[in-house]
Amino acid sequence: MSEQLYTTKEAMLYSQRTAQLSKALWKAVEKDWQLWIKPYDLNINEHHILWISFHLQGASISDVAKFGVMHVSTAFNFSKKLEERGLLKFSKRDDDKRNTYVELTEAGSQLIMQMNEHYHDTPHCILDGSLPLRELYGRFPEFLDVMAVVRNIYGDDFIKIFERSFKNFKDNFDQVHSSARQ
């Protein structure tokens, strides 16, 4: 860039503010997440892999790693542990022998559903911290600016997978809860 559009001071303040807020937010998210999954003898990586596999319905290990923001070996090793527990199964595709794919077993799907049903059995300080904003504005905080930053860091594919997984979650949630009301 021939001309800098921001000062070093602005850049440093932005970076430090982002780092501090991200760390504080992650600490709360991590605590909430660990409390939620503790009764199921899972760690965060294992739960994230199950979640991704549930919503992407047959993702490659590379996709799990990319979307789970983890190294491929981490995704593979934790997936292997989940396979040993009967929650995931590995496969190869006829048209793609190079990649390994993971898919939830019936037991894995049931576990995800059970965990979702028991979401409110544990405290969630992120949710509690957001409720005053929901009461004030009629909605939870949105993440458009954060998503734009993430898109610029991880690319369009990440955001497409992100959107697809949450669309699948909404559709599945609505389907499960509409059949439960009948």
Side-chain angles (χ1 to χ4, degrees):
M1 202 185 298
S2 60
E3 185 179 327
Q4 200 166 353
L5 302 175
Y6 53 85
T7 67
T8 300
K9 179 181 174 182
E10 286 176 309
M12 289 178 69
L13 285 172
Y14 174 76
S15 294
Q16 288 303 304
R17 181 175 284 133
T18 302
Q20 191 63 40
L21 289 173
S22 296
K23 183 167 175 134
L25 190 60
W26 171 246
K27 203 68 180 159
V29 167
E30 183 179 42
K31 181 181 173 190
D32 288 353
W33 202 346
Q34 287 174 338
L35 285 172
W36 179 34
I37 64 177
K38 185 179 181 180
Y40 306 97
D41 193 30
L42 294 170
N43 64 41
I44 288 174
N45 282 328
E46 291 168 336
H47 181 256
H48 205 186
I49 290 167
L50 290 174
W51 176 266
I52 292 166
S53 301
F54 183 79
H55 293 293
L56 297 186
Q57 301 162 349
S60 70
I61 289 289
S62 299
D63 288 341
V64 169
K66 184 177 184 178
F67 187 58
V69 193
M70 60 183 81
H71 193 274
V72 173
S73 65
T74 302
F76 182 82
N77 291 334
F78 282 109
S79 294
K80 205 70 176 142
K81 289 180 181 183
L82 293 166
E83 181 192 41
E84 290 166 8
R85 289 180 58 182
L87 302 173
L88 270 187
K89 60 184 173 186
F90 285 83
S91 65
K92 296 279 189 184
R93 301 237 167 106
D94 290 337
D95 61 338
D96 183 8
K97 296 289 185 195
R98 290 179 15 168
N99 286 310
T100 301
Y101 290 83
V102 290
E103 197 174 327
L104 285 181
T105 62
E106 184 60 33
S109 292
Q110 288 176 359
L111 179 62
I112 288 289
M113 301 302 280
Q114 180 184 8
M115 293 174 72
N116 290 347
E117 289 170 18
H118 292 278
Y119 174 80
H120 286 292
D121 292 356
T122 57
H124 298 276
C125 64
I126 291 294
L127 178 63
D128 294 341
S130 302
L131 287 175
L133 290 169
R134 188 175 191 283
E135 290 171 18
L136 183 63
Y137 298 116
R139 61 175 173 73
F140 284 108
E142 295 192 20
F143 296 93
L144 294 177
D145 290 343
V146 174
M147 285 180 61
V149 171
V150 170
R151 179 188 313 267
N152 290 333
I153 295 168
Y154 291 103
D156 287 335
D157 286 346
F158 183 91
I159 296 298
K160 286 176 188 168
I161 292 170
F162 177 86
E163 292 295 347
R164 189 173 92 206
S165 72
F166 281 93
K167 181 188 179 317
N168 289 345
F169 172 78
K170 288 176 196 173
D171 293 349
N172 184 274
F173 188 89
D174 291 343
Q175 180 182 11
V176 166
H177 287 81
S178 70
S179 64
R181 283 186 226 124
Q182 295 174 351

PDB file of all heavy atoms in Angstrom, residues 145-167:
ATOM      1  N   ASP A 145     -20.433  -7.549  11.444  1.00  0.00           N
ATOM      2  CA  ASP A 145     -19.070  -7.025  11.332  1.00  0.00           C
ATOM      3  C   ASP A 145     -18.043  -8.114  11.617  1.00  0.00           C
ATOM      4  O   ASP A 145     -17.046  -8.244  10.906  1.00  0.00           O
ATOM      5  CB  ASP A 145     -18.854  -5.859  12.307  1.00  0.00           C
ATOM      6  CG  ASP A 145     -19.618  -4.604  11.901  1.00  0.00           C
ATOM      7  OD1 ASP A 145     -20.054  -4.516  10.730  1.00  0.00           O
ATOM      8  OD2 ASP A 145     -19.763  -3.715  12.753  1.00  0.00           O
ATOM      9  N   VAL A 146     -18.298  -8.907  12.646  1.00  0.00           N
ATOM     10  CA  VAL A 146     -17.372  -9.984  12.996  1.00  0.00           C
ATOM     11  C   VAL A 146     -17.317 -11.002  11.855  1.00  0.00           C
ATOM     12  O   VAL A 146     -16.241 -11.482  11.486  1.00  0.00           O
ATOM     13  CB  VAL A 146     -17.778 -10.652  14.323  1.00  0.00           C
ATOM     14  CG1 VAL A 146     -16.903 -11.858  14.615  1.00  0.00           C
ATOM     15  CG2 VAL A 146     -17.702  -9.649  15.469  1.00  0.00           C
ATOM     16  N   MET A 147     -18.467 -11.330  11.285  1.00  0.00           N
ATOM     17  CA  MET A 147     -18.485 -12.280  10.167  1.00  0.00           C
ATOM     18  C   MET A 147     -17.716 -11.727   8.970  1.00  0.00           C
ATOM     19  O   MET A 147     -17.038 -12.481   8.259  1.00  0.00           O
ATOM     20  CB  MET A 147     -19.918 -12.629   9.778  1.00  0.00           C
ATOM     21  CG  MET A 147     -20.554 -13.577  10.781  1.00  0.00           C
ATOM     22  SD  MET A 147     -22.233 -14.030  10.383  1.00  0.00           S
ATOM     23  CE  MET A 147     -22.044 -14.835   8.805  1.00  0.00           C
ATOM     24  N   ALA A 148     -17.793 -10.426   8.738  1.00  0.00           N
ATOM     25  CA  ALA A 148     -17.042  -9.824   7.635  1.00  0.00           C
ATOM     26  C   ALA A 148     -15.539  -9.965   7.881  1.00  0.00           C
ATOM     27  O   ALA A 148     -14.782 -10.287   6.957  1.00  0.00           O
ATOM     28  CB  ALA A 148     -17.418  -8.363   7.466  1.00  0.00           C
ATOM     29  N   VAL A 149     -15.104  -9.764   9.122  1.00  0.00           N
ATOM     30  CA  VAL A 149     -13.687  -9.926   9.455  1.00  0.00           C
ATOM     31  C   VAL A 149     -13.277 -11.389   9.271  1.00  0.00           C
ATOM     32  O   VAL A 149     -12.246 -11.696   8.663  1.00  0.00           O
ATOM     33  CB  VAL A 149     -13.386  -9.431  10.892  1.00  0.00           C
ATOM     34  CG1 VAL A 149     -11.969  -9.789  11.310  1.00  0.00           C
ATOM     35  CG2 VAL A 149     -13.617  -7.926  10.999  1.00  0.00           C
ATOM     36  N   VAL A 150     -14.084 -12.297   9.777  1.00  0.00           N
ATOM     37  CA  VAL A 150     -13.787 -13.727   9.650  1.00  0.00           C
ATOM     38  C   VAL A 150     -13.745 -14.130   8.174  1.00  0.00           C
ATOM     39  O   VAL A 150     -12.873 -14.888   7.755  1.00  0.00           O
ATOM     40  CB  VAL A 150     -14.794 -14.577  10.453  1.00  0.00           C
ATOM     41  CG1 VAL A 150     -14.659 -16.054  10.137  1.00  0.00           C
ATOM     42  CG2 VAL A 150     -14.622 -14.329  11.949  1.00  0.00           C
ATOM     43  N   ARG A 151     -14.661 -13.614   7.385  1.00  0.00           N
ATOM     44  CA  ARG A 151     -14.656 -13.900   5.936  1.00  0.00           C
ATOM     45  C   ARG A 151     -13.333 -13.448   5.309  1.00  0.00           C
ATOM     46  O   ARG A 151     -12.754 -14.148   4.485  1.00  0.00           O
ATOM     47  CB  ARG A 151     -15.826 -13.207   5.244  1.00  0.00           C
ATOM     48  CG  ARG A 151     -15.880 -13.449   3.729  1.00  0.00           C
ATOM     49  CD  ARG A 151     -16.936 -12.590   3.021  1.00  0.00           C
ATOM     50  NE  ARG A 151     -18.206 -12.603   3.679  1.00  0.00           N
ATOM     51  CZ  ARG A 151     -19.217 -13.437   3.391  1.00  0.00           C
ATOM     52  NH1 ARG A 151     -19.073 -14.322   2.428  1.00  0.00           N
ATOM     53  NH2 ARG A 151     -20.349 -13.369   4.039  1.00  0.00           N
ATOM     54  N   ASN A 152     -12.855 -12.283   5.712  1.00  0.00           N
ATOM     55  CA  ASN A 152     -11.598 -11.766   5.164  1.00  0.00           C
ATOM     56  C   ASN A 152     -10.396 -12.578   5.624  1.00  0.00           C
ATOM     57  O   ASN A 152      -9.383 -12.627   4.933  1.00  0.00           O
ATOM     58  CB  ASN A 152     -11.404 -10.296   5.542  1.00  0.00           C
ATOM     59  CG  ASN A 152     -12.378  -9.392   4.808  1.00  0.00           C
ATOM     60  OD1 ASN A 152     -12.836  -9.709   3.719  1.00  0.00           O
ATOM     61  ND2 ASN A 152     -12.704  -8.267   5.410  1.00  0.00           N
ATOM     62  N   ILE A 153     -10.496 -13.236   6.770  1.00  0.00           N
ATOM     63  CA  ILE A 153      -9.396 -14.051   7.278  1.00  0.00           C
ATOM     64  C   ILE A 153      -9.456 -15.473   6.710  1.00  0.00           C
ATOM     65  O   ILE A 153      -8.471 -15.992   6.200  1.00  0.00           O
ATOM     66  CB  ILE A 153      -9.408 -14.099   8.823  1.00  0.00           C
ATOM     67  CG1 ILE A 153      -9.138 -12.706   9.387  1.00  0.00           C
ATOM     68  CG2 ILE A 153      -8.398 -15.117   9.348  1.00  0.00           C
ATOM     69  CD1 ILE A 153      -9.399 -12.582  10.878  1.00  0.00           C
ATOM     70  N   TYR A 154     -10.635 -16.108   6.794  1.00  0.00           N
ATOM     71  CA  TYR A 154     -10.766 -17.527   6.445  1.00  0.00           C
ATOM     72  C   TYR A 154     -11.391 -17.783   5.082  1.00  0.00           C
ATOM     73  O   TYR A 154     -11.389 -18.915   4.614  1.00  0.00           O
ATOM     74  CB  TYR A 154     -11.569 -18.266   7.524  1.00  0.00           C
ATOM     75  CG  TYR A 154     -10.823 -18.370   8.826  1.00  0.00           C
ATOM     76  CD1 TYR A 154     -11.136 -17.549   9.894  1.00  0.00           C
ATOM     77  CD2 TYR A 154      -9.790 -19.290   8.992  1.00  0.00           C
ATOM     78  CE1 TYR A 154     -10.442 -17.634  11.093  1.00  0.00           C
ATOM     79  CE2 TYR A 154      -9.091 -19.389  10.177  1.00  0.00           C
ATOM     80  CZ  TYR A 154      -9.423 -18.549  11.227  1.00  0.00           C
ATOM     81  OH  TYR A 154      -8.737 -18.634  12.401  1.00  0.00           O
ATOM     82  N   GLY A 155     -11.980 -16.779   4.479  1.00  0.00           N
ATOM     83  CA  GLY A 155     -12.499 -16.919   3.126  1.00  0.00           C
ATOM     84  C   GLY A 155     -13.990 -17.220   3.053  1.00  0.00           C
ATOM     85  O   GLY A 155     -14.643 -17.524   4.052  1.00  0.00           O
ATOM     86  N   ASP A 156     -14.494 -17.123   1.832  1.00  0.00           N
ATOM     87  CA  ASP A 156     -15.918 -17.345   1.567  1.00  0.00           C
ATOM     88  C   ASP A 156     -16.363 -18.762   1.891  1.00  0.00           C
ATOM     89  O   ASP A 156     -17.482 -18.970   2.342  1.00  0.00           O
ATOM     90  CB  ASP A 156     -16.244 -17.040   0.103  1.00  0.00           C
ATOM     91  CG  ASP A 156     -16.240 -15.553  -0.204  1.00  0.00           C
ATOM     92  OD1 ASP A 156     -16.462 -14.757   0.722  1.00  0.00           O
ATOM     93  OD2 ASP A 156     -16.014 -15.200  -1.373  1.00  0.00           O
ATOM     94  N   ASP A 157     -15.491 -19.752   1.650  1.00  0.00           N
ATOM     95  CA  ASP A 157     -15.863 -21.145   1.922  1.00  0.00           C
ATOM     96  C   ASP A 157     -16.224 -21.339   3.391  1.00  0.00           C
ATOM     97  O   ASP A 157     -17.177 -22.044   3.713  1.00  0.00           O
ATOM     98  CB  ASP A 157     -14.741 -22.107   1.544  1.00  0.00           C
ATOM     99  CG  ASP A 157     -14.600 -22.277   0.038  1.00  0.00           C
ATOM    100  OD1 ASP A 157     -15.531 -21.867  -0.696  1.00  0.00           O
ATOM    101  OD2 ASP A 157     -13.574 -22.815  -0.398  1.00  0.00           O
ATOM    102  N   PHE A 158     -15.449 -20.724   4.274  1.00  0.00           N
ATOM    103  CA  PHE A 158     -15.723 -20.838   5.712  1.00  0.00           C
ATOM    104  C   PHE A 158     -17.114 -20.295   6.022  1.00  0.00           C
ATOM    105  O   PHE A 158     -17.905 -20.939   6.713  1.00  0.00           O
ATOM    106  CB  PHE A 158     -14.666 -20.083   6.527  1.00  0.00           C
ATOM    107  CG  PHE A 158     -14.854 -20.215   8.009  1.00  0.00           C
ATOM    108  CD1 PHE A 158     -14.227 -21.233   8.707  1.00  0.00           C
ATOM    109  CD2 PHE A 158     -15.664 -19.334   8.713  1.00  0.00           C
ATOM    110  CE1 PHE A 158     -14.394 -21.366  10.074  1.00  0.00           C
ATOM    111  CE2 PHE A 158     -15.844 -19.459  10.078  1.00  0.00           C
ATOM    112  CZ  PHE A 158     -15.211 -20.478  10.758  1.00  0.00           C
ATOM    113  N   ILE A 159     -17.422 -19.139   5.508  1.00  0.00           N
ATOM    114  CA  ILE A 159     -18.720 -18.505   5.776  1.00  0.00           C
ATOM    115  C   ILE A 159     -19.853 -19.323   5.141  1.00  0.00           C
ATOM    116  O   ILE A 159     -20.921 -19.486   5.738  1.00  0.00           O
ATOM    117  CB  ILE A 159     -18.750 -17.041   5.278  1.00  0.00           C
ATOM    118  CG1 ILE A 159     -17.729 -16.210   6.062  1.00  0.00           C
ATOM    119  CG2 ILE A 159     -20.138 -16.444   5.370  1.00  0.00           C
ATOM    120  CD1 ILE A 159     -17.968 -16.116   7.565  1.00  0.00           C
ATOM    121  N   LYS A 160     -19.619 -19.891   3.951  1.00  0.00           N
ATOM    122  CA  LYS A 160     -20.647 -20.734   3.328  1.00  0.00           C
ATOM    123  C   LYS A 160     -20.945 -21.957   4.187  1.00  0.00           C
ATOM    124  O   LYS A 160     -22.105 -22.328   4.392  1.00  0.00           O
ATOM    125  CB  LYS A 160     -20.213 -21.163   1.921  1.00  0.00           C
ATOM    126  CG  LYS A 160     -20.295 -20.064   0.897  1.00  0.00           C
ATOM    127  CD  LYS A 160     -19.763 -20.523  -0.453  1.00  0.00           C
ATOM    128  CE  LYS A 160     -19.665 -19.350  -1.408  1.00  0.00           C
ATOM    129  NZ  LYS A 160     -18.911 -19.690  -2.613  1.00  0.00           N
ATOM    130  N   ILE A 161     -19.884 -22.597   4.694  1.00  0.00           N
ATOM    131  CA  ILE A 161     -20.077 -23.759   5.575  1.00  0.00           C
ATOM    132  C   ILE A 161     -20.774 -23.321   6.858  1.00  0.00           C
ATOM    133  O   ILE A 161     -21.687 -23.992   7.345  1.00  0.00           O
ATOM    134  CB  ILE A 161     -18.723 -24.445   5.875  1.00  0.00           C
ATOM    135  CG1 ILE A 161     -18.168 -25.098   4.609  1.00  0.00           C
ATOM    136  CG2 ILE A 161     -18.868 -25.478   6.987  1.00  0.00           C
ATOM    137  CD1 ILE A 161     -16.735 -25.594   4.745  1.00  0.00           C
ATOM    138  N   PHE A 162     -20.353 -22.191   7.397  1.00  0.00           N
ATOM    139  CA  PHE A 162     -20.970 -21.633   8.601  1.00  0.00           C
ATOM    140  C   PHE A 162     -22.472 -21.440   8.387  1.00  0.00           C
ATOM    141  O   PHE A 162     -23.295 -21.909   9.176  1.00  0.00           O
ATOM    142  CB  PHE A 162     -20.289 -20.291   8.929  1.00  0.00           C
ATOM    143  CG  PHE A 162     -20.854 -19.564  10.108  1.00  0.00           C
ATOM    144  CD1 PHE A 162     -20.402 -19.854  11.390  1.00  0.00           C
ATOM    145  CD2 PHE A 162     -21.805 -18.568   9.949  1.00  0.00           C
ATOM    146  CE1 PHE A 162     -20.903 -19.167  12.493  1.00  0.00           C
ATOM    147  CE2 PHE A 162     -22.311 -17.887  11.031  1.00  0.00           C
ATOM    148  CZ  PHE A 162     -21.859 -18.188  12.306  1.00  0.00           C
ATOM    149  N   GLU A 163     -22.836 -20.777   7.317  1.00  0.00           N
ATOM    150  CA  GLU A 163     -24.251 -20.507   7.026  1.00  0.00           C
ATOM    151  C   GLU A 163     -25.016 -21.807   6.783  1.00  0.00           C
ATOM    152  O   GLU A 163     -26.135 -21.970   7.248  1.00  0.00           O
ATOM    153  CB  GLU A 163     -24.382 -19.572   5.818  1.00  0.00           C
ATOM    154  CG  GLU A 163     -23.878 -18.167   6.066  1.00  0.00           C
ATOM    155  CD  GLU A 163     -24.662 -17.398   7.106  1.00  0.00           C
ATOM    156  OE1 GLU A 163     -25.769 -17.819   7.506  1.00  0.00           O
ATOM    157  OE2 GLU A 163     -24.153 -16.351   7.550  1.00  0.00           O
ATOM    158  N   ARG A 164     -24.412 -22.736   6.035  1.00  0.00           N
ATOM    159  CA  ARG A 164     -25.076 -24.010   5.746  1.00  0.00           C
ATOM    160  C   ARG A 164     -25.323 -24.798   7.025  1.00  0.00           C
ATOM    161  O   ARG A 164     -26.401 -25.357   7.222  1.00  0.00           O
ATOM    162  CB  ARG A 164     -24.247 -24.826   4.766  1.00  0.00           C
ATOM    163  CG  ARG A 164     -24.996 -26.061   4.255  1.00  0.00           C
ATOM    164  CD  ARG A 164     -24.230 -26.762   3.168  1.00  0.00           C
ATOM    165  NE  ARG A 164     -23.391 -27.776   3.783  1.00  0.00           N
ATOM    166  CZ  ARG A 164     -22.268 -28.235   3.271  1.00  0.00           C
ATOM    167  NH1 ARG A 164     -21.819 -27.780   2.128  1.00  0.00           N
ATOM    168  NH2 ARG A 164     -21.579 -29.162   3.896  1.00  0.00           N
ATOM    169  N   SER A 165     -24.338 -24.822   7.915  1.00  0.00           N
ATOM    170  CA  SER A 165     -24.509 -25.591   9.147  1.00  0.00           C
ATOM    171  C   SER A 165     -25.600 -25.002  10.020  1.00  0.00           C
ATOM    172  O   SER A 165     -26.386 -25.726  10.622  1.00  0.00           O
ATOM    173  CB  SER A 165     -23.187 -25.696   9.914  1.00  0.00           C
ATOM    174  OG  SER A 165     -22.841 -24.465  10.493  1.00  0.00           O
ATOM    175  N   PHE A 166     -25.692 -23.681  10.082  1.00  0.00           N
ATOM    176  CA  PHE A 166     -26.728 -23.079  10.919  1.00  0.00           C
ATOM    177  C   PHE A 166     -28.101 -23.152  10.254  1.00  0.00           C
ATOM    178  O   PHE A 166     -29.116 -23.241  10.941  1.00  0.00           O
ATOM    179  CB  PHE A 166     -26.346 -21.661  11.333  1.00  0.00           C
ATOM    180  CG  PHE A 166     -25.369 -21.691  12.471  1.00  0.00           C
ATOM    181  CD1 PHE A 166     -24.010 -21.651  12.236  1.00  0.00           C
ATOM    182  CD2 PHE A 166     -25.808 -21.837  13.771  1.00  0.00           C
ATOM    183  CE1 PHE A 166     -23.106 -21.733  13.277  1.00  0.00           C
ATOM    184  CE2 PHE A 166     -24.912 -21.925  14.823  1.00  0.00           C
ATOM    185  CZ  PHE A 166     -23.557 -21.870  14.579  1.00  0.00           C
ATOM    186  N   LYS A 167     -28.150 -23.175   8.933  1.00  0.00           N
ATOM    187  CA  LYS A 167     -29.430 -23.417   8.258  1.00  0.00           C
ATOM    188  C   LYS A 167     -29.904 -24.838   8.566  1.00  0.00           C
ATOM    189  O   LYS A 167     -31.074 -25.053   8.896  1.00  0.00           O
ATOM    190  CB  LYS A 167     -29.307 -23.220   6.752  1.00  0.00           C
ATOM    191  CG  LYS A 167     -30.642 -23.442   6.027  1.00  0.00           C
ATOM    192  CD  LYS A 167     -30.486 -23.437   4.527  1.00  0.00           C
ATOM    193  CE  LYS A 167     -31.776 -23.666   3.793  1.00  0.00           C
ATOM    194  NZ  LYS A 167     -32.656 -24.694   4.305  1.00  0.00           N
TER     195      LYS A 167
END
